[in-house]
Structure formats: structure tokens, C-alpha cells
Amino acid sequence: MVWTSRPVSRLQGIIRAPGDKSCSHRALIMGGIASGTSHFSGLLEGDDVLRTGAAMAALGAEVTQTGPGLWQVTGTGERGLTSPAAPLDFGNSGTGSRLMMGLMAGYELSAELCGDASLSARPMNRILAPLRLMGLTDTAKPDGRLPFRLTSTRALKAITYAPPQASAQVKSAILLAGLNAQGTTIIEEAKPTRDHTERMLRGFGVEIGVTRGAGQARTISLVGGQRLSAIEAAIPGDPSSAAFLIAAGLISPDGNVMVEGVMSNPTRSGFFDLAELMGARLGAEDTDDAAGERLIDIQSGSAALIGRSVPERLVPAMIDEFPILAVLAAFATGTTIVTGAEELRVKETDRVKAVVDMLRANGVEAEEREDGFAVQGYGGPPPGGGLVETRHDHRIAMSALVMGTASQKPVSVDDVSMIATSYPDFLGHMAALGADISDS
């Protein structure tokens, strides 16, 4: 069903950031293998995270919702995970499926993994390759795409591995496998990626080493055989979701948007850093801590933006925010250039092509490049008036709807159902700020 976002003169209000998707996945996964019962508040209840919870339950953990955003997880502890009775369906969740592959690798079990059409088109060999080196066997075809069956073993061996791409999912899958591997698992990162797995493992009582090398290089090490203990934790607000609300405030003719409780983590701050380089004045105030993460409130108002070349050092810290960055670029004066972002090619869709097509459909000049894109800013509200093919990508859908709030003409999308995978309250939050978005 087509949904349309119409231009409005003002977007104002205060919104509490939804729970971080990355941390929510990890909380359910780690709680599911810990000894004892963990309690979590503020957990994101999007479809992706719920499927991770269902997978953990199918593997033997007890996963129970006790209220809105409140969950308790009784882990399998010394007993360990067991083979599920049915295939594990991860829907659209790349994070859940990839992290769970690593987790299951260290237990003596067999499980079939599947997902929707979008997930089944995404590459998994980047995860399978290091896990095979550790001892995992699988039935994946040469292209490494779902569905396939994993057969894991308690005789898993630790490895030293340098991922060929900057990927927190690859790193996290190897670390989770390393929990039950014989020896010390070592990951050598050329560029830093999201460190939520390292932070949360420490919260569950795991000792994990991180040393810095030349430039941005880091080495992460984990000794196998360590056990997790249950915790009680609040899930921090998701900076990737907050980015849509902040962007809406920046492009609004009369914007004044505050998002509360946002995780402030240098591996996730790239979008906000770049927005400031483009001319945004983002007010940020420390408020609290949650699950080992610093929390801030972020305020954004209408801004005259200037196009920039994105520093490559920021790319890993904003890999999920490039679609909404493209919206800011469309409103900016001058050219915005993205390079070193080849990871966008293997997201829910080919996000480079999806972003360029979204902009072109709405009268914005954009160029597709092998590892990124270039946007010629309109120097104000772009024409709009287009219908965006979302390709079952939640971030493309939300970005297009944000664009429509301040473009010259309404912007439509062909589907919004997939938004529930990461930000089920998005439409409600946008309406609370004053957006005019409805099915048409």
C-alpha cells in the first residue's frame, strides 16, 4: 500500500529514542546463554529483535515479555543450547541471523536457518568463512545464501582472523563462537566497527582484550571457555533511529526536535558528526548510562546545510545512516560525496542504487558510484513528487518519508510494512512532531 508524506511548515516536539536494535539483539542472545535470569528494560520490540528472541527460545532459553519493553531471559547456562525442533526463521534480520550463526557454532547442535526474500538474497559467506575455519559445517551453496543448515560442535577451535571488510556482524559472530572455542580467539580490525558486543560481553562478566595498533587498527581477543552471568540492564536509545527524527528537525522550515536517551558511542556517532560538519547545530546533553553506554539528549533545529565529502574515518560509524544522510544532502547547497561505503551494496538491498533512485525520483541529481554516491544538493527544498520503490528496506522507506515533510511536493513510498523491523513507532513519533504521513 502506498503511503505519502506531505510538506508541513513545522516539526516540533520531544521524543524518547526507541531501544537500540543492536543492543537489543545482543541482550537477548547473551542473556539466553547466561547462568540465571536477566531482566531488560527499554528493549526494542521490532520484528527483527522479536525473531532473535524466538530463536533463542527455540534453542532452549526462556524468553518472556513482562511489560512494554520489559523482558526477562533465563539462560541455558552450563546446559548449553540444543537443536531446535523447527527451522529458525529470521525474517528480514541480518544482524540476528549472522550473530546467531556465531553463537550456535560453539554448541553441539544442528539447525536450519531461513528468512524472507530480502534476507535470503544477502551474502552470508563472510560469516561462514571464519566459522568454517573454527570447525562449523553447513549445507550452504557456493553463494552462501539462506536457507541452509548448520551443524556445530563442542570441539570448536579458536582462530586469528582479519576480516576483509569492516563489519561488526562478522566480528561479533566470531567473538560469540569464541566463547566456546579452544584457545584464544583474536580479531584484527583495520578500521574500528561498532563495539556493542565487546561492551555487553564485559557486562555479562566476560574478560575481553582490546589493544590499539597503528592508525585506526584494533586487535580484540577473547579466551574460550568463559561463562556469562545474568544481569539487569536498560537498553540505550538507538542513534540510527534517532537520526531520522534529528534530520526531520534540520530540514523543517520551523524545526525544533529533541530526542532523549540516545546512545553516545564513537562507533555510532558518524551521522551526527557529519551533520555538524554540514552546518547543523546539534545540542547534546549528558543524561545517564545504560548497559555500559553513555546516554545523551540531542536537539536539532532548522539549518542551512552545506554539502561535504564524507571523511572515510566516519563511514563505519554511520553505515546505517547513509539513506537519511542522502536526504540532508538533497537539501544542502553544493555536492555531497560518499566513498569507501561498499558495505551499502550488501544491506537489505543494494543501498547505493536504492538511495540514488530515491533521490532521482524526487528531482535530485545523484550519481551512483562503485563504493558510494554523489548528490548535487538543491540548496533548499527539492522538488519531491515522486514514488519511491523501497525494495523492502526500512531505512529507504523512512528516509523518503522524512524527505516528504519538507520537499516542495509530497513524497510517496510503495510500502511501509518493513519499518516495523527496526522502528515500529516511527509513524507515531513523526505524527507527534507534526508530520502529515498517511496511506493514500
Side-chain angles (χ1 to χ4, degrees):
M1 179 183 295
V2 173
W3 281 66
T4 300
S5 177
R6 300 167 184 83
V8 294
S9 61
R10 173 182 297 178
L11 286 178
Q12 296 188 348
I14 301 173
I15 301 293
R16 186 76 183 176
D20 183 73
K21 184 157 73 84
S22 296
C23 291
S24 295
H25 280 298
R26 288 160 173 81
L28 294 176
I29 287 171
M30 295 181 198
I33 59 171
S35 296
T37 300
S38 297
H39 295 86
F40 305 108
S41 60
L43 194 93
L44 178 69
E45 292 169 353
D47 186 67
D48 281 9
V49 174
L50 296 180
R51 288 181 184 271
T52 293
M56 289 307 302
L59 292 164
E62 295 180 21
V63 182
T64 308
Q65 182 182 23
T66 59
L70 301 175
W71 291 72
Q72 69 177 33
V73 182
T74 301
T76 58
E78 294 291 336
R79 173 173 93 251
L81 303 179
T82 56
S83 299
L88 302 177
D89 187 349
F90 288 95
N92 189 239
S93 180
T95 300
S97 58
R98 287 167 171 161
L99 267 59
M100 292 287 291
M101 288 181 202
L103 182 77
M104 290 186 288
Y107 294 90
E108 193 169 353
L109 59 80
S110 181
E112 183 177 347
L113 285 69
C114 62
D116 66 12
S118 175
L119 184 61
S120 299
R122 298 175 69 179
M124 296 297 177
N125 276 333
R126 59 176 53 188
I127 303 291
L128 293 173
L131 295 180
R132 287 166 179 160
L133 293 175
M134 299 176 81
L136 180 74
T137 58
D138 61 82
T139 63
K141 296 178 181 178
D143 62 9
R145 302 188 191 279
L146 293 175
F148 51 73
R149 177 172 290 277
L150 302 181
T151 301
S152 49
T153 173
R154 287 191 179 274
L156 210 65
K157 296 180 180 179
I159 58 170
T160 296
Y161 192 74
Q165 61 284 115
S167 170
Q169 293 177 355
V170 173
K171 173 181 66 177
S172 298
I174 298 170
L175 288 174
L176 291 171
L179 287 171
N180 286 317
Q182 299 170 9
T184 300
T185 296
I186 298 173
I187 300 168
E188 299 171 341
E189 282 192 315
K191 296 179 180 179
T193 61
R194 297 180 181 186
D195 62 355
H196 305 311
T197 298
E198 297 97 302
R199 288 172 182 256
M200 196 167 287
L201 280 172
R202 290 193 190 101
F204 277 91
V206 174
E207 292 185 7
I208 185 166
V210 179
T211 57
R212 299 188 182 279
Q216 299 184 69
R218 296 193 313 169
T219 299
I220 302 101
S221 59
L222 184 151
V223 177
Q226 298 187 64
R227 294 291 174 254
L228 284 66
S229 298
I231 64 171
E232 193 166 314
I235 303 300
D238 195 328
S240 297
S241 296
F244 296 102
L245 307 178
I246 295 301
L250 292 174
I251 64 175
S252 173
D254 184 8
N256 186 8
V257 174
M258 176 178 284
V259 186
E260 297 179 324
V262 182
M263 178 202 306
S264 177
N265 180 312
T267 68
R268 296 286 298 278
S269 65
F271 171 81
F272 305 106
D273 295 341
L274 186 65
E276 291 188 319
L277 289 176
M278 295 176 73
R281 294 183 178 179
L282 302 179
E285 181 178 345
D286 283 342
T287 59
D288 203 351
D289 293 280
E293 304 279 0
R294 173 172 158 245
L295 299 184
I296 58 174
D297 294 343
I298 304 177
Q299 187 160 12
S300 72
S302 307
L305 301 171
I306 300 172
R308 298 289 187 190
S309 292
V310 179
E312 285 203 36
R313 62 179 173 79
L314 293 182
V315 169
M318 60 181 298
I319 199 67
D320 283 339
E321 286 80 67
F322 279 108
I324 192 61
L325 165 68
V327 172
L328 294 189
F331 283 79
T333 298
T335 304
T336 297
I337 299 174
V338 175
T339 57
E342 55 275 358
E343 274 294 290
L344 296 176
R345 295 286 189 184
V346 293
K347 289 293 185 178
E348 281 79 348
T349 184
D350 180 342
R351 275 199 182 142
V352 171
K353 179 172 176 52
V355 162
V356 169
D357 288 350
M358 171 184 71
L359 296 178
R360 288 176 174 170
N362 287 284
V364 179
E365 185 179 338
E367 175 190 348
E368 183 177 341
R369 298 185 176 183
E370 184 176 351
D371 64 344
F373 54 86
V375 180
Q376 181 58 52
Y378 213 76
L387 173 62
V388 174
E389 182 185 356
T390 58
R391 299 173 170 87
H392 206 65
D393 189 323
H394 51 130
R395 300 196 193 278
I396 295 295
M398 290 186 282
S399 297
L401 293 174
V402 168
M403 181 191 294
T405 65
S407 52
Q408 296 176 34
K409 296 179 181 179
V411 173
S412 298
V413 298
D414 62 359
D415 188 14
V416 298
S417 62
M418 83 298 291
I419 292 175
T421 64
S422 69
Y423 194 169
D425 293 327
F426 172 75
L427 294 173
H429 284 176
M430 289 296 293
L433 294 176
D436 180 8
I437 302 173
S438 62
D439 53 342
S440 54

